[in-house]
Amino acid sequence: MKNLVGAAIFAQSGGPTSVINASAAGVFTEALKQKNITAVYGAVHGIKGILNEEFYDISKEDAYELNLLKYTPSSVLGSVRYKLKDYKVDDTDYKRVLEVFKKYNIRYFFYNGGNDSMDTCNKISKYIKKSGYDCNVIGVPKTIDNDLYGTDHCPGFGSAAKYIATSIMELSLDAKVYDIPSICVVETMGRNAGWLTGAAALASYKGEGADLIYLPEVPFSIDKFVDDVKKVCAKNNNKCIAVVSEGVKDETGTLVCEVLSRADNDINTDSFGHKQLGGVAVQLADLLKSKLGFKTRAIEFSLLQRCAGHLASKVDVEEAFKAGVKAVKSAINGTTDKMVIYKRQTVNGKYKCKVTLGSLSLAANTERKVPLNWIINDGTFVSNEFIDYVLPLIQGDAKAPLVDGLPRFANLKKVLVNKK
Amino acid sequence: MKNLVGAAIFAQSGGPTSVINASAAGVFTEALKQKNITAVYGAVHGIKGILNEEFYDISKEDAYELNLLKYTPSSVLGSVRYKLKDYKVDDTDYKRVLEVFKKYNIRYFFYNGGNDSMDTCNKISKYIKKSGYDCNVIGVPKTIDNDLYGTDHCPGFGSAAKYIATSIMELSLDAKVYDIPSICVVETMGRNAGWLTGAAALASYKGEGADLIYLPEVPFSIDKFVDDVKKVCAKNNNKCIAVVSEGVKDETGTLVCEVLSRADNDINTDSFGHKQLGGVAVQLADLLKSKLGFKTRAIEFSLLQRCAGHLASKVDVEEAFKAGVKAVKSAINGTTDKMVIYKRQTVNGKYKCKVTLGSLSLAANTERKVPLNWIINDGTFVSNEFIDYVLPLIQGDAKAPLVDGLPRFANLKKVLVNKK
């Protein structure tokens, strides 16, 4: 824990969100202010940018554009999915990171991402500490999945939840417009944690929304699902909106999309061993059509749910920005090997969020799921506790200014630092 | 053409849009002001509400809620897809409409919809005229497809275009974030007219968007499509966003989704004989994956593109409201058998829209397509004329107020009129 003088590097990793660039804006604007930070770099494509010695010189950017990053979705520096091996098995990448850090006198390292990225950040942090090289390392969380351990919630989740809730309110108005049966199966992201799927309940809370919600925390029975839909149809003039997580699994732990497709070999797998999911809504909608004889429709929010900056939550954007600022201030004060976390504080009945620090190791590989006692109605809905938890996180609008009726996103110069 | 005293009835029909209720707000607020209108009714589920004698008494609604209709997507009265037979073949429905009109002294009939609904409106208008019963009939256009003949553009199109352009800008930022190949096939609505598909070019105009755009006006060759994508990939680091209309057809006029699925019998058909489309993006993405060996992704905007009130264009909302007002004022002044149309007027280089009247018969069954000379780059993009045409229609925001971070849509009492 030292007060260091040198360059700072920031990198983005994993699936983008609406607010990962808001954290970038926080890191960059704060780092550019700090006297002890001699240069501010943005790594191109996460850890790969460090390994490849490819980074942008952030001091070359206009303050106006850096501020627009707050309202620009996706990862402006480029992201990556690249798993570092255990350094005891293969320390090639670690040696290379250290070499690059030394070459550019990088004394501050900020890594922005979800579980896997915190794993990368944690491994580098531990290796650097062991090496004796002084560099303060802080993880900046992000994930629409909201599954990082040790923080009340994750930057990116509130905006994705707001997108899902708003879109389902609108879909509900649309899907129920005719005087004929209408069954809609909506698929959200969330492999193992059902926070996003549960966010559909916010729409129901507003009187327009999902009738059934299936989270991956609870085993999914295909037969029960068909029965559940039949029951809603019987009560509800043959209209039903069912929201399912991409990651719903049967009692044996097999993904429902695999069970239904029986074509395991056709499913892509990424470098972390995660299967590329999607398609369960289409399969369930087809199944319902054959079982009920009604027109059915599958809607997959796909990438839209994580990049819809036009529906970003103001609370989410502001907190994500503060998370970036906190990372820099903490590192400057000599802190290392931590992740920025959010602590919820209810003051006079009002939501407040304290941006502070937590364990990087714990966050690295522990998934935080929806508490089972928040999943109600025989696994088909979420409780008021869930609503109370999510509602403060989706408040307010914070979107890019409009030019010609379309968002004016940040436009960075992206000046590459000359390789040394 | 008479100045009549009696009740007014308004009905909504066809696929909903973000602004069909803005036209409803225009009709209702204006009709409630008119002394010659003795009652204002909203038919439940379009023409079926008239046949079934089911209508809401709009005078029972709060002015605040009626105003919120401007920002409430979908069809608040319920919609319908019901094709009237030619009255020379079977005049049962026509006799019934006339019976209901007489029973409730309905002297003003406003029908809000697209091509098929204007067909219904036109048939009723002609039948009533022939019958000698005095009732002024005005069609109020709406369709996200923008394919109604005789009007510069259609209410609903601007908002859907804004949704598509904004979402593709965001998707483009997201889909290109990794340093690996990324192919995205995006599917928009539009059976025979490519206005919505072309709107993807607005995103490109802003520097973030579609690389290839395929409209249904031009025959689609699957082999050429694969080649086009290959060429973009070669130039563009194996990244490509291709936008296709749900209605693209091969040179024989067969839908590409049918060619690729070879399962014609599995495709639903609605009561107008339109096939229920969708799925061409999934099929093309699968095809590209097998041909190129890259990860591909299909994104279907599905219902989202027509119900995303949160991204409604202010220009669209205001014009749709005015269209409703114009319909009532024209009918009060004795006009009948017309459709409200928009005329574009460029004043000092600025877009202006005159809301006036046009032929109902012509609009009824003529589809207005994208001019072929606006489709460029060997059928893979649209010209600057297209951009200049669409851009004024997507200006400004006009969304529902937020309560708890979510839209506060209109909440009507929906008091049914007692059957006589």
Side-chain angles (χ1 to χ4, degrees):
Chain A
M1 306 258 185
K2 293 185 183 169
N3 301 98
L4 306 168
V5 177
I9 194 159
F10 173 76
Q12 298 173 317
S13 174
T17 76
S18 286
V19 306
I20 186 166
N21 289 332
S23 291
V27 166
F28 292 153
T29 51
E30 186 60 32
L32 288 168
K33 279 186 209 165
Q34 294 289 343
K35 280 185 214 155
N36 284 358
I37 294 182
T38 54
V40 181
Y41 300 140
V44 183
H45 292 300
I47 190 70
K48 274 201 182 170
I50 297 170
L51 296 171
N52 297 338
E53 243 175 288
E54 282 181 356
F55 9 101
Y56 303 124
D57 181 350
I58 303 301
S59 71
K60 297 284 195 287
E61 304 295 345
D62 296 333
Y64 177 76
E65 299 295 338
L66 289 181
N67 187 56
L68 278 185
L69 280 179
K70 282 178 171 173
Y71 314 110
T72 304
S74 190
S75 303
V76 73
L77 303 173
S79 187
V80 72
R81 291 197 185 274
Y82 181 79
K83 195 170 177 70
L84 285 182
K85 295 198 180 86
D86 189 322
Y87 67 78
K88 288 171 200 157
V89 177
D90 181 354
D91 64 355
T92 316
D93 284 342
Y94 297 88
K95 280 184 175 162
R96 173 67 181 148
V97 167
L98 195 56
E99 181 186 33
V100 174
F101 277 18
K102 284 178 179 170
K103 205 198 263 192
Y104 293 86
N105 190 33
I106 290 168
R107 299 294 176 172
Y108 297 97
F109 175 50
F110 306 105
Y111 210 54
N112 192 188
N115 298 88
D116 295 321
S117 312
M118 288 307 121
D119 177 54
T120 300
C121 185
N122 182 48
K123 283 170 172 166
I124 291 176
S125 177
K126 301 299 185 283
Y127 182 84
I128 285 182
K129 207 177 230 179
K130 199 178 74 74
S131 78
Y133 178 77
D134 285 328
C135 179
N136 291 340
V137 178
I138 305 280
V140 184
K142 76 84 220 171
T143 166
I144 60 165
D145 293 336
N146 202 40
D147 59 353
L148 275 165
Y149 189 85
T151 182
D152 175 75
H153 56 282
C154 301
F157 168 64
S159 297
K162 188 184 180 94
Y163 172 85
I164 289 170
T166 305
S167 297
I168 289 182
M169 284 178 74
E170 293 171 341
L171 273 178
S172 165
L173 287 176
D174 188 299
K176 295 175 181 170
V177 82
Y178 294 114
D179 60 344
I180 51 172
S182 165
I183 314 276
C184 214
V185 185
V186 182
E187 178 175 335
T188 70
M189 286 183 171
R191 279 186 182 87
N192 301 312
W195 298 104
L196 287 172
T197 323
L202 295 171
S204 318
Y205 168 77
K206 286 287 163 187
E208 290 297 344
D211 301 293
L212 300 164
I213 297 175
Y214 297 89
L215 288 76
E217 281 82 353
V218 175
F220 184 95
S221 151
I222 294 169
D223 291 341
K224 179 175 171 298
F225 170 76
V226 174
D227 282 345
D228 291 343
V229 172
K230 278 183 183 167
K231 279 180 203 156
V232 171
C233 283
K235 263 200 292 191
N236 208 5
N237 199 21
N238 287 329
K239 290 182 172 56
C240 179
I241 294 182
V243 182
V244 295
S245 159
E246 62 175 348
V248 285
K249 296 162 203 77
D250 71 8
E251 283 183 12
T252 70
T254 310
L255 286 165
V256 173
C257 60
E258 286 186 39
V259 176
L260 288 169
S261 72
R262 294 188 194 92
D264 299 19
N265 56 349
D266 195 35
I267 294 181
N268 289 327
T269 302
D270 75 10
S271 65
F272 287 95
H274 304 315
K275 287 181 173 149
Q276 190 193 330
L277 304 182
V280 69
V282 173
Q283 292 169 325
L284 289 173
D286 278 354
L287 179 75
L288 287 174
K289 190 177 158 191
S290 70
K291 296 273 183 189
L292 304 177
F294 297 155
K295 173 177 170 177
T296 62
R297 199 183 278 270
I299 292 181
E300 197 182 330
F301 286 136
S302 189
L303 301 183
L304 299 165
Q305 67 201 293
R306 74 180 191 193
C307 68
H310 71 271
L311 259 182
S313 142
K314 190 177 178 196
V315 165
D316 193 17
V317 169
E318 289 179 353
E319 289 176 354
F321 182 83
K322 283 182 194 163
V325 171
K326 178 73 182 177
V328 175
K329 285 188 172 170
S330 306
I332 285 289
N333 289 334
T335 304
T336 188
D337 198 38
K338 294 283 181 190
M339 182 182 83
V340 176
I341 61 162
Y342 294 159
K343 276 196 178 159
R344 183 182 299 235
Q345 297 174 317
T346 307
V347 180
N348 298 329
K350 287 208 169 169
Y351 167 85
K352 279 215 145 196
C353 176
K354 188 178 175 190
V355 182
T356 178
L357 297 169
S359 162
L360 183 57
S361 318
L362 262 177
N365 281 299
T366 323
E367 276 180 326
R368 196 176 61 100
K369 300 185 180 181
V370 176
L372 288 179
N373 60 343
W374 288 9
I375 303 172
I376 60 168
N377 295 1
D378 204 12
T380 64
F381 219 75
V382 292
S383 67
N384 286 337
E385 288 97 328
F386 186 99
I387 302 286
D388 292 343
Y389 167 83
V390 181
L391 213 48
L393 313 181
I394 65 160
Q395 298 306 305
D397 278 348
K399 65 176 197 173
L402 288 190
V403 175
D404 290 334
L406 293 169
R408 165 63 165 86
F409 294 135
N411 188 7
L412 299 194
K413 292 176 201 152
K414 297 193 175 177
V415 180
L416 280 169
V417 173
N418 289 326
K419 289 194 185 182
K420 287 187 181 173
Chain B
M1 307 258 184
K2 293 186 182 169
N3 301 97
L4 305 168
V5 177
I9 194 159
F10 174 75
Q12 298 173 317
S13 175
T17 77
S18 286
V19 307
I20 186 166
N21 289 331
S23 290
V27 167
F28 292 153
T29 50
E30 186 59 33
L32 288 168
K33 279 185 208 165
Q34 294 289 344
K35 281 185 213 153
N36 283 0
I37 294 182
T38 53
V40 181
Y41 301 139
V44 184
H45 293 300
I47 191 68
K48 274 202 182 169
I50 296 170
L51 296 171
N52 297 336
E53 242 175 289
E54 282 180 357
F55 8 102
Y56 303 124
D57 181 350
I58 302 302
S59 70
K60 297 283 195 288
E61 303 295 344
D62 296 332
Y64 177 76
E65 299 295 338
L66 290 181
N67 188 56
L68 278 184
L69 280 179
K70 282 178 171 173
Y71 314 111
T72 304
S74 190
S75 303
V76 73
L77 304 172
S79 187
V80 72
R81 290 198 186 274
Y82 181 80
K83 195 170 177 69
L84 285 183
K85 295 197 180 86
D86 189 323
Y87 67 78
K88 289 170 199 155
V89 176
D90 180 353
D91 64 355
T92 317
D93 284 342
Y94 297 88
K95 281 183 175 162
R96 173 68 181 149
V97 167
L98 195 56
E99 180 186 34
V100 173
F101 277 18
K102 285 179 180 170
K103 204 198 265 193
Y104 293 87
N105 190 33
I106 290 169
R107 299 292 176 173
Y108 296 98
F109 174 50
F110 305 106
Y111 209 52
N112 192 188
N115 299 88
D116 295 321
S117 312
M118 287 308 120
D119 178 54
T120 300
C121 184
N122 183 47
K123 283 171 172 167
I124 291 177
S125 177
K126 301 299 185 282
Y127 182 84
I128 286 181
K129 208 177 229 180
K130 198 178 73 78
S131 78
Y133 179 76
D134 285 329
C135 178
N136 291 340
V137 178
I138 305 279
V140 183
K142 76 84 218 171
T143 166
I144 61 166
D145 293 336
N146 203 39
D147 59 353
L148 274 166
Y149 188 85
T151 181
D152 176 75
H153 57 282
C154 301
F157 168 64
S159 297
K162 188 183 181 93
Y163 173 85
I164 287 170
T166 305
S167 297
I168 288 182
M169 285 178 74
E170 294 172 340
L171 273 178
S172 165
L173 288 176
D174 188 300
K176 294 175 181 170
V177 82
Y178 294 114
D179 59 344
I180 51 172
S182 165
I183 315 276
C184 214
V185 185
V186 182
E187 178 176 335
T188 70
M189 286 182 171
R191 279 185 182 88
N192 301 312
W195 299 103
L196 288 172
T197 323
L202 295 171
S204 320
Y205 168 77
K206 287 287 163 187
E208 290 297 343
D211 301 293
L212 300 164
I213 297 174
Y214 298 90
L215 288 76
E217 281 83 353
V218 175
F220 184 94
S221 152
I222 295 169
D223 290 341
K224 179 176 172 296
F225 170 75
V226 173
D227 282 346
D228 292 343
V229 171
K230 278 184 184 167
K231 279 180 204 156
V232 171
C233 282
K235 264 199 293 191
N236 207 6
N237 200 21
N238 287 329
K239 290 180 171 55
C240 179
I241 294 184
V243 182
V244 294
S245 160
E246 62 175 350
V248 283
K249 296 162 202 75
D250 70 10
E251 283 183 12
T252 70
T254 310
L255 286 166
V256 173
C257 61
E258 287 186 39
V259 175
L260 287 168
S261 72
R262 293 186 195 96
D264 301 18
N265 56 348
D266 194 34
I267 294 181
N268 289 327
T269 302
D270 74 11
S271 64
F272 287 95
H274 304 316
K275 286 182 175 149
Q276 190 192 331
L277 303 182
V280 69
V282 173
Q283 292 169 326
L284 289 173
D286 277 355
L287 178 76
L288 288 174
K289 190 176 157 190
S290 70
K291 296 273 183 190
L292 304 176
F294 297 155
K295 173 178 170 177
T296 62
R297 200 183 279 270
I299 292 181
E300 197 183 330
F301 286 137
S302 189
L303 301 183
L304 299 165
Q305 67 201 292
R306 74 179 191 194
C307 68
H310 71 271
L311 259 181
S313 142
K314 191 177 177 195
V315 165
D316 193 17
V317 168
E318 289 179 354
E319 290 176 354
F321 182 83
K322 283 181 194 163
V325 171
K326 178 73 182 176
V328 175
K329 285 188 173 170
S330 307
I332 286 289
N333 289 335
T335 304
T336 187
D337 198 37
K338 293 282 181 191
M339 182 182 82
V340 176
I341 61 162
Y342 294 159
K343 275 195 180 160
R344 184 182 299 235
Q345 298 175 317
T346 307
V347 179
N348 297 329
K350 287 209 170 168
Y351 166 86
K352 279 213 147 198
C353 176
K354 187 178 175 190
V355 182
T356 179
L357 296 169
S359 162
L360 183 58
S361 317
L362 262 177
N365 282 298
T366 323
E367 275 180 325
R368 196 175 60 101
K369 300 185 181 180
V370 176
L372 288 179
N373 61 342
W374 287 11
I375 304 172
I376 59 169
N377 295 0
D378 204 12
T380 64
F381 218 76
V382 292
S383 67
N384 286 337
E385 287 96 328
F386 186 100
I387 303 285
D388 292 343
Y389 166 82
V390 181
L391 213 48
L393 313 181
I394 66 160
Q395 298 306 304
D397 278 347
K399 65 177 198 172
L402 288 188
V403 174
D404 289 334
L406 293 170
R408 165 64 165 86
F409 294 135
N411 188 7
L412 299 194
K413 291 177 201 151
K414 297 193 175 175
V415 180
L416 280 170
V417 173
N418 288 327
K419 290 194 185 182
K420 286 185 182 173

